[in-house]
Amino acid sequence: MERRAKISITKSLFDGHIEKNIVFPFPKQREEEREIVGELLEAWKKFSKEKINPAKMDEEGRIPENVIKEMANLGFLGISIPEDYGGAGLSQWANCQVMEALAVTDASVATFFGAHLSLCSKGILYHGNEEQKKKFLPLLTGGEKIGAYALTEASAGSDPSSIKTSAKPTEDGKYYILNGTKQFITNGGYKGIYLVFARTEDDKITGFIVPGDSEGLTVSKEEKKMGIKASSTSEIVLDNVKVPSENILGEKGHGMRIALEILDWGRLGLAAGCTGGAKALTRMASDYASQRVQFGSPISNFELIKKKIAHMAFLSYAMESMVYLTASISENPDLDFSLESSICKTFCSEGLWEIANEALQIAGGYGYIQEYPYEKVVRDARINTIFEGTNEIQRMFISLYGIKEIGDYLKRVGKAIQSPFSSLGVLKDFALKEVKKRIAKEKIEGISDVLKRERKILEDYVHELGLRTEGIIKKYGKKIVEREYIQERLSDIAIYLYGMLATLSRTDTLIKTKGKEACRHEINLCKAFFFHARKHIRHRLSYLERNIDKTWSSISDWVVENKEPYKFFL
Ligand SMILES: Cc1cc2nc3c(=O)[nH]c(=O)nc-3n(C[C@H](O)[C@H](O)[C@H](O)COP(=O)(O)OP(=O)(O)OC[C@H]3O[C@@H](n4cnc5c(N)ncnc54)[C@H](O)[C@@H]3O)c2cc1C
């Protein structure tokens, strides 16, 4: 199953262009699938209510076997794996719905599911050969083996290209001998099937499918964590582990690209989990606020609590819109969804963190007490901005990968200017694009009247992002790679614009399907999200280049050198 990377909605946003035909109308799940998933989720809800005790799992630090068994029975462990390999053959949309439901039950269960399906099984599905798929996927979809993804090492976290685990071929070329230590591996303790990334003799990175019962593979440590305590996070030692050459995942030497592409699925799943958590917390907090009485009134009547509940609701709405738009584009082989998956991961992990914090605040002192669910939720939510690539790394990726093609294009134009007569085609194309970009603003036609203000805001900011991106590339050239402050601002703008796009499309499609009166609430959510996103975009644009970046750097350098925040006190 090959994925051809072509159009990217986010790359287009950086170029001042809106991929209207892809985003409008908002995608829809197949009716038949919606029914199937609905029944499965009902069954899970019933099971989890009766049989799962998240507080106990948190205390004991493990997911009971019957929970994993039920996930396998319901087909969750292979929900988006084709039936030919023992899966349920449903879509990525369904995969995200399951992830949401599991996250509502417990974040450890969702983490387990994400590593198993998105990182291991999907890795084999998209990068393995037919034999590997036939051999390993049925074991994973049935839950006979639990999947894990082993990239991180003690000295290689955000920079996985520096991994040291080695893979040396035997003389006859039939095997590779793996040596090294992998760190923080989710599901590592199950000794099921690992995707291990190692450095081969050509000094390139290669992925291997490594069965957990391989001689020399040991689980040397189970980490004790702040949250998601029931999920297994382990250190894996590979001591002369002999792996057959036919277990190479994809092409030898292409492991880094494969490892990163696999994470596209993981990040989208993670974002879906955050969305499920966010919605559940919004329900929980609003329920609490309507029952808790202070000053003779339910606290939900007070404006400062209303503001929090509204914030939780419109963020959840935006998160969900972004996740399901991305789930839908992830299945179109003509589209590249890596930036959108990264955007979803960043936005939803931070959204959940804000929402968890607000839910705890609404619960007041009770929120801080272990007997209530909030403190666990806050502990559990914290990991999402760290694993599957920290949000700092996501932001660098979103902007640098997002603007790369524009940079390459401008470089070609720059070269063409040096020899204009032999490059008339390039220059003519550039001149036309420039005129179009500067004069003609992208328009989204046919949006419901009630959302015309939001449509205009989106069009204006996409236009401005296109112009500002070009200006920045021209100004910094290759040096943009070192300017993380600017990268962060550009990516934040793209993140919010993608959120606006998804939310606008969804709300407009809802209005057209159900009528304006029926979706008053959703219209309000859309408007509130636009107000919120606009504030953030404006802020980033205003100090994109005129800022105090140098002051920040000099403060930080001083602090790092002196190991103190400051020296004097008067
Ligand atoms: C519970 C848990 C489960 C995990 N599961 C898995 C798994 O299943 N498989 C797996 O392979 N890994 C897994 N990981 C590892 C995880 O992906 C890494 O911890 C993460 O990528 C960060 O790496 P690091 O911890 O080494 O931090 P570092 O890379 O040391 O980063 C430290 C800080 O510096 C920042 N930073 C680093 N470089 C830059 C830069 N260039 N610019 C700006 N800031 C920068 C980071 O954002 C971070 O804030 C897991 C980790 C945890 C905690």
Side-chain angles (χ1 to χ4, degrees):
M1 207 176 288
E2 201 182 315
R3 254 191 330 115
R4 285 171 291 134
K6 282 190 180 167
I7 301 167
S8 154
I9 296 175
T10 305
K11 281 185 190 169
S12 294
L13 290 176
F14 278 116
D15 204 16
H17 174 63
I18 300 168
E19 297 291 351
K20 298 177 281 266
N21 295 340
I22 299 170
V23 179
F24 296 91
F26 197 77
K28 217 173 143 192
Q29 187 175 27
R30 277 184 299 118
E31 202 51 53
E32 191 187 307
E33 180 174 288
R34 184 198 287 257
E35 276 172 29
I36 297 171
V37 178
E39 281 169 24
L40 292 174
L41 297 186
E42 259 321 299
W44 173 257
K45 210 166 149 186
K46 186 168 179 298
F47 171 83
S48 63
K49 209 168 159 192
E50 288 167 6
K51 302 271 164 57
I52 301 184
N53 180 344
K56 192 159 173 248
M57 286 199 315
D58 188 57
E59 221 175 278
E60 292 177 352
R62 54 179 283 277
I63 301 173
E65 238 168 64
N66 68 326
V67 176
I68 299 173
K69 231 180 215 158
E70 183 65 7
M71 288 163 77
N73 286 343
L74 291 172
F76 288 177
L77 297 184
I79 194 85
S80 52
I81 301 292
E83 285 169 319
D84 287 354
Y85 308 118
L90 300 184
S91 67
Q92 183 58 23
W93 187 299
N95 189 321
C96 288
Q97 287 176 296
V98 170
M99 186 65 168
E100 274 202 56
L102 299 180
V104 171
T105 300
D106 182 80
S108 289
V109 175
T111 303
F112 164 90
F113 172 75
H116 174 82
L117 179 56
S118 304
L119 298 185
C120 182
S121 304
K122 288 227 164 179
I124 296 174
L125 177 68
Y126 286 106
H127 301 282
N129 58 36
E130 197 51 34
E131 242 170 70
Q132 292 169 340
K133 289 186 225 179
K134 286 213 165 99
K135 182 171 175 187
F136 295 108
L137 287 177
L139 298 173
L140 290 159
T141 52
E144 204 176 310
K145 297 281 177 195
I146 301 305
Y149 167 98
L151 178 64
T152 304
E153 297 175 6
S155 59
S158 296
D159 176 17
S161 64
S162 62
I163 56 169
K164 294 200 178 89
T165 294
S166 63
K168 296 222 166 72
T170 52
E171 261 179 35
D172 58 8
K174 286 188 180 156
Y175 296 91
Y176 278 80
I177 307 297
L178 268 61
N179 278 291
T181 303
K182 293 291 178 181
Q183 186 174 266
F184 300 159
I185 306 308
T186 301
N187 295 349
Y190 291 98
K191 293 197 88 177
I193 292 169
Y194 300 86
L195 299 189
V196 175
F197 295 89
R199 195 170 288 284
T200 28
E201 78 290 358
D202 51 5
D203 204 29
K204 290 188 176 148
I205 293 172
T206 298
F208 293 88
I209 306 173
V210 182
D213 55 7
S214 305
E215 204 176 315
L217 187 153
T218 48
V219 179
S220 47
K221 187 179 171 195
E222 259 310 319
E223 303 289 352
K224 297 229 174 298
K225 307 187 290 287
M226 168 186 180
I228 54 164
K229 285 174 186 265
S231 79
S232 152
T233 310
S234 331
E235 184 181 80
I236 308 296
V237 174
L238 300 139
D239 180 13
N240 285 321
V241 175
K242 203 170 165 187
V243 180
S245 303
E246 62 256 26
N247 281 19
I248 286 182
L249 182 68
E251 247 180 278
K252 184 180 169 187
H254 288 234
M256 200 62 254
R257 177 183 57 78
I258 291 172
L260 297 180
E261 282 185 16
I262 292 174
L263 286 173
D264 290 344
W265 297 106
R267 288 173 186 143
L268 179 55
L270 185 154
C274 292
T275 304
K279 282 153 54 187
L281 276 162
T282 308
R283 276 181 223 117
M284 204 196 290
S286 58
D287 186 42
Y288 182 88
S290 67
Q291 293 185 39
R292 174 69 175 167
V293 174
Q294 289 291 284
F295 302 100
S297 161
I299 60 170
S300 57
N301 287 338
F302 302 132
E303 285 190 349
L304 292 186
I305 300 295
K306 282 183 199 285
K307 185 180 153 204
K308 289 189 206 306
I309 292 173
H311 184 223
M312 293 164 88
F314 74 67
L315 272 188
S316 300
Y317 185 70
M319 287 159 74
E320 192 180 73
S321 309
M322 291 159 89
V323 164
Y324 288 94
L325 174 61
T326 310
S328 148
I329 62 174
S330 74
E331 291 193 309
N332 183 337
D334 293 330
L335 303 179
D336 176 355
F337 76 104
S338 51
L339 284 167
E340 292 70 29
S341 151
S342 187
I343 283 177
C344 285
K345 191 269 182 186
T346 309
F347 184 79
C348 296
S349 60
E350 291 172 11
L352 175 63
W353 179 241
E354 280 177 42
I355 287 173
N357 196 33
E358 300 217 293
L360 190 147
Q361 187 71 17
I362 288 174
Y366 299 94
Y368 201 69
I369 304 298
Q370 275 191 356
E371 200 183 320
Y372 295 82
Y374 304 95
E375 67 86 31
K376 173 178 177 296
V377 167
V378 168
R379 282 192 284 108
D380 285 347
R382 188 61 189 86
I383 186 59
N384 293 302
T385 63
I386 299 171
F387 63 6
E388 305 219 13
T390 66
N391 285 15
E392 286 77 15
I393 299 300
Q394 302 307 315
R395 285 191 159 88
M396 291 163 65
F397 169 70
I398 292 163
S399 52
L400 293 179
Y401 184 55
I403 67 175
K404 185 178 174 306
E405 276 160 30
I406 307 169
D408 292 345
Y409 175 70
L410 290 175
K411 210 157 92 189
R412 280 203 305 281
V413 171
K415 273 199 189 134
I417 289 170
Q418 317 275 318
S419 49
F421 296 111
S422 57
S423 315
L424 275 176
V426 177
L427 291 177
K428 206 169 132 196
D429 178 64
F430 175 66
L432 279 174
K433 271 195 179 147
E434 273 302 277
V435 171
K436 205 171 146 205
K437 203 170 194 175
R438 278 167 206 288
I439 298 172
K441 214 177 272 181
E442 284 271 337
K443 288 262 175 285
I444 311 171
E445 308 290 349
I447 295 290
S448 316
D449 261 7
V450 66
L451 296 174
K452 68 172 186 251
R453 193 176 136 79
E454 284 65 34
R455 172 186 58 79
K456 172 90 173 45
I457 291 171
L458 178 61
E459 289 167 353
D460 287 350
Y461 281 132
V462 171
H463 182 70
E464 185 154 3
L465 179 64
L467 296 178
R468 300 290 290 270
T469 301
E470 191 179 311
I472 280 174
I473 294 173
K474 283 180 182 159
K475 180 169 172 188
Y476 294 100
K478 268 196 215 149
K479 288 225 159 69
I480 187 67
V481 174
E482 293 153 26
R483 304 302 303 265
E484 291 188 4
Y485 295 127
I486 292 179
Q487 291 165 28
E488 181 180 54
R489 287 171 202 133
L490 282 177
S491 64
D492 280 349
I493 296 167
I495 289 169
Y496 280 111
L497 285 179
Y498 186 66
M500 283 177 160
L501 201 52
T503 315
L504 182 70
S505 166
R506 177 183 177 177
T507 314
D508 184 58
T509 306
L510 266 176
I511 294 171
K512 285 172 180 150
T513 318
K514 300 199 181 293
K516 196 168 83 181
E517 283 317 310
C519 24
R520 276 271 152 231
H521 180 61
E522 287 71 18
I523 294 170
N524 281 340
L525 292 174
C526 177
K527 286 181 179 289
F529 175 68
F530 264 70
F531 184 82
H532 170 84
R534 187 185 184 193
K535 181 181 73 185
H536 285 281
I537 292 177
R538 250 202 219 141
H539 188 53
R540 305 307 190 273
L541 283 171
S542 72
Y543 69 106
L544 192 57
E545 291 180 87
R546 287 177 52 233
N547 47 52
I548 58 156
D549 290 353
K550 285 197 176 128
T551 310
W552 285 352
S553 288
S554 91
I555 292 174
S556 174
D557 292 346
W558 190 95
V559 173
V560 169
E561 196 186 325
N562 293 280
K563 312 269 180 290
E564 287 285 357
Y566 46 82
K567 202 153 92 187
F568 298 117
F569 179 75
L570 288 182

